[in-house]
Amino acid sequence: MKGIVSSIFACALAISSSCSFAGSGFVFDQWKLSQIYICSSAQSAFQENISLKIVTGGEEKEVVPNANSGYNPSVFLGDFLGNGLNQIFYSVESGGSGDYSFYQLYSGENGEISSIFDSQNFNQNLSATIQGDIINIEYLGQTLLLDASKNDLSGAREVTVSPINTILPLYNTAFDRYQMLVYQKVYVDYTANNVGYVTTLLDFSTGQANVVNVGVALNFDYAQTL
């Protein structure tokens, strides 16, 4: 009977105008498959009051992301902790000229959904200056270089490193788990004058974000680290 109720409830969610099926995985238990739905109250492309509903058997859990409005909310399921379970990697786009996205990683390891990463709290200390047509970025004890010779350098030459622009989940075959590659835009004077990106590779095997490596990307081709 419980299985029938669960199936009826899942179908009702799937056909609802406010909820859409986002994927399934073993979020709480390696033997119990969970279904994840993205719900919102919006009737347009811009979604508001976004929540995630996780249905496992006859039980439902709901979580509201910290960034719960925006465009194209989505979920990626993968093992970031190396514990054999699927963590929920949520993202939503801000829209507008900045074209930023917000991300949150959730774990159900202890039977309850908990946030183990929020991109809005990712504040690494770095500084960027320009000398000639080379941008020097001081980041976690390293000097990273970006070539700005093909950019517009006729203005005030003020270098800005943005908050997180994009995060890509990367599967590491050596460790049999996912890691995150974080991109932060580097631009001179105005956002469209984009020189490249600061990249940070994060690992979550300890249950929290740990920096594995840092670098830079120029037109999504990795540049040399000094």
Side-chain angles (χ1 to χ4, degrees):
M1 183 65 182
K2 183 180 289 187
I4 295 175
V5 172
S6 173
S7 298
I8 293 173
F9 179 72
C11 290
L13 278 176
I15 63 175
S16 170
S17 61
S18 60
C19 293
S20 60
F21 178 69
S24 58
F26 298 96
V27 176
F28 302 105
D29 190 299
Q30 294 186 15
W31 308 106
K32 294 181 180 179
L33 190 65
S34 298
Q35 296 175 313
I36 293 86
Y37 298 85
I38 299 174
C39 303
S40 74
S41 62
Q43 300 298 319
S44 63
F46 185 80
Q47 304 291 295
E48 297 179 286
N49 300 315
I50 298 170
S51 66
L52 304 179
K53 290 187 178 181
I54 302 96
V55 181
T56 310
E59 297 182 1
E60 174 193 336
K61 295 183 184 295
E62 182 176 21
V63 61
V64 178
N66 291 334
N68 67 336
S69 62
Y71 296 89
N72 301 316
S74 64
V75 160
F76 173 84
L77 297 171
D79 185 358
F80 290 83
L81 300 179
N83 62 359
L85 299 177
N86 297 125
Q87 285 74 57
I88 302 172
F89 183 43
Y90 162 82
S91 66
V92 65
E93 299 171 10
S94 66
S97 60
D99 192 27
Y100 297 106
S101 295
F102 303 101
Y103 303 86
Q104 203 159 354
L105 183 65
Y106 294 97
S107 169
E109 186 174 20
N110 298 313
E112 296 293 333
I113 295 295
S114 61
S115 175
I116 56 177
F117 175 79
D118 182 351
S119 64
Q120 296 181 90
N121 297 328
F122 183 82
N123 295 313
Q124 301 283 38
N125 292 323
L126 53 78
S127 62
T129 58
I130 187 167
Q131 298 178 0
D133 55 13
I134 300 297
I135 293 176
N136 295 270
I137 303 164
E138 299 296 331
Y139 184 31
L140 295 179
Q142 297 190 47
T143 300
L144 311 174
L145 304 179
L146 272 173
D147 181 3
S149 59
K150 296 182 180 180
N151 291 82
D152 177 13
L153 302 179
S154 62
R157 295 164 61 91
E158 180 179 349
V159 181
T160 300
V161 180
S162 77
I164 289 177
N165 181 261
T166 302
I167 298 180
L168 300 177
L170 295 179
Y171 181 69
N172 189 320
T173 56
F175 300 119
D176 192 26
R177 63 173 179 268
Y178 283 90
Q179 296 174 319
M180 287 185 190
L181 185 58
V182 177
Y183 285 88
Q184 293 175 261
K185 182 183 293 186
V186 181
Y187 59 90
V188 179
D189 295 332
Y190 53 96
T191 57
N193 197 25
N194 181 18
V195 181
Y197 300 84
V198 174
T199 63
T200 308
L201 182 63
L202 299 178
D203 182 81
F204 292 86
S205 59
T206 62
Q208 59 185 5
N210 297 291
V211 176
V212 176
N213 195 14
V214 298
V216 289
L218 181 62
N219 295 325
F220 292 98
D221 291 324
Y222 283 104
Q224 203 62 12
T225 298
L226 183 65

